[in-house]
Amino acid sequence: LAILLTQSHMTLLEVRRKRVSFLKTVARNLRLENLTICEGRAEILAQEHQLHQAFDVVVTRATWDTEQFLRLATPFLRKSGVTIIMKGPENPKDHHRDAREEFPGFRLQEQRAYALPFGREKRNLLIFAQLTAENVSRDT
């Protein structure tokens, strides 16, 4: 994304030092000045002032349970932020019920099925909008 969206700043969180080193090397070699790599656990990094409510969008690959990820993403999101959850080939309905009931503070905005380009394996995206007082009152 940082290669394609050069006008947008990206921040990657990675817990493993070896991966962080690799990502920093790639960013340096490709001169990706719009990319920052932070080493550490999301739970700890969420407490850092410069990362608190710093992002419009938070994305995860299929590594977290939906509820767990939404809880972890909340401190990083600006008001009205969006989370994008990349899920595996399972049916996305297996991962959530009505978002308003199961995940306080978020509403499922969109779910999108897609196939990977080479193997054609099926995947799912779940896109959740963070609720604010404004969009909660509009919906009631």
Side-chain angles (χ1 to χ4, degrees), residues 18-100:
K18 191 173 187 176
R19 289 183 186 173
V20 169
S21 296
F22 170 76
L23 292 168
K24 285 183 176 182
T25 300
V26 170
R28 188 175 45 256
N29 289 342
L30 295 178
R31 296 185 179 106
L32 297 175
E33 295 177 15
N34 63 329
L35 183 62
T36 301
I37 296 111
C38 297
E39 181 180 352
R41 298 188 58 78
E43 302 92 319
I44 305 301
L45 293 172
Q47 298 170 20
E48 292 194 16
H49 179 71
Q50 71 269 21
L51 298 177
H52 188 72
Q53 294 183 344
F55 304 101
D56 296 316
V57 180
V58 175
V59 181
T60 187
R61 4 183 216 112
T63 55
W64 298 96
D65 168 75
T66 300
E67 184 173 6
Q68 192 177 27
F69 171 67
L70 291 173
R71 222 177 309 115
L72 284 170
T74 298
F76 294 103
L77 282 175
R78 288 189 178 115
K79 288 185 181 179
S80 302
V82 173
T83 63
I84 301 173
I85 303 173
M86 302 162 85
K87 288 292 188 180
E90 319 74 6
N91 182 341
K93 292 178 182 166
D94 294 341
H95 295 285
H96 70 278
R97 294 187 303 271
D98 176 26
R100 184 179 275 169

Side-chain angles (χ1 to χ4, degrees), residues 109-120:
Q109 186 174 337
E110 183 178 353
Q111 42 183 17
R112 183 177 297 175
Y114 66 97
L116 295 176
F118 300 107
R120 306 304 299 166

Side-chain angles (χ1 to χ4, degrees), residues 100 107 131-140:
R100 184 179 275 169
R107 176 185 324 115
L131 297 175
T132 63
E134 296 160 1
N135 59 18
V136 168
S137 63
R138 271 197 309 247
D139 293 341
T140 55

